[in-house]
Amino acid sequence: MVRLVYFAWVREQIGVAEEDVDLPASLITVADLAQWIAPRGSGYATAFADLAKLRCALDQVVVPFSTAIGEAKEIAFFPPVTGG
């Protein structure tokens, strides 16, 4: 079981802040996970339509979408951070 955590507009689109899911063994990378999540509903489809507009973290470490999920316990999705 993996905890998926959503922040900012990702959470607003999906309608939940986090959820626990059993991932299929066929999912290798975070990009695979994003493709698996997208068809779960219209909010998911909108949130994951363009991965260039998202960042992700495995167990609170920011990683590229090409990173293997491995034994991660938590995977977070959030928009890029901007400052000013």
Side-chain angles (χ1 to χ4, degrees):
M1 177 123 0
V2 174
R3 174 156 292 176
L4 303 180
V5 183
Y6 311 108
F7 292 98
W9 61 260
V10 180
R11 178 186 62 235
E12 292 168 11
Q13 288 294 323
I14 293 171
V16 297
E18 59 187 47
E19 59 186 327
D20 293 324
V21 297
D22 287 317
L23 300 181
S26 61
L27 301 180
I28 305 300
T29 67
V30 180
D32 295 337
L33 171 59
Q35 290 177 340
W36 180 76
I37 290 172
R40 295 179 71 194
S42 63
Y44 290 92
T46 300
F48 289 91
D50 184 358
L51 296 186
K53 294 181 180 177
L54 289 175
R55 299 296 179 262
C56 62
L58 295 181
D59 295 328
Q60 301 183 3
V61 176
V62 177
V63 297
F65 277 86
S66 60
T67 302
I69 295 169
E71 298 295 319
K73 300 294 184 209
E74 178 185 272
I75 303 172
F77 296 97
F78 48 93
V81 177
T82 60

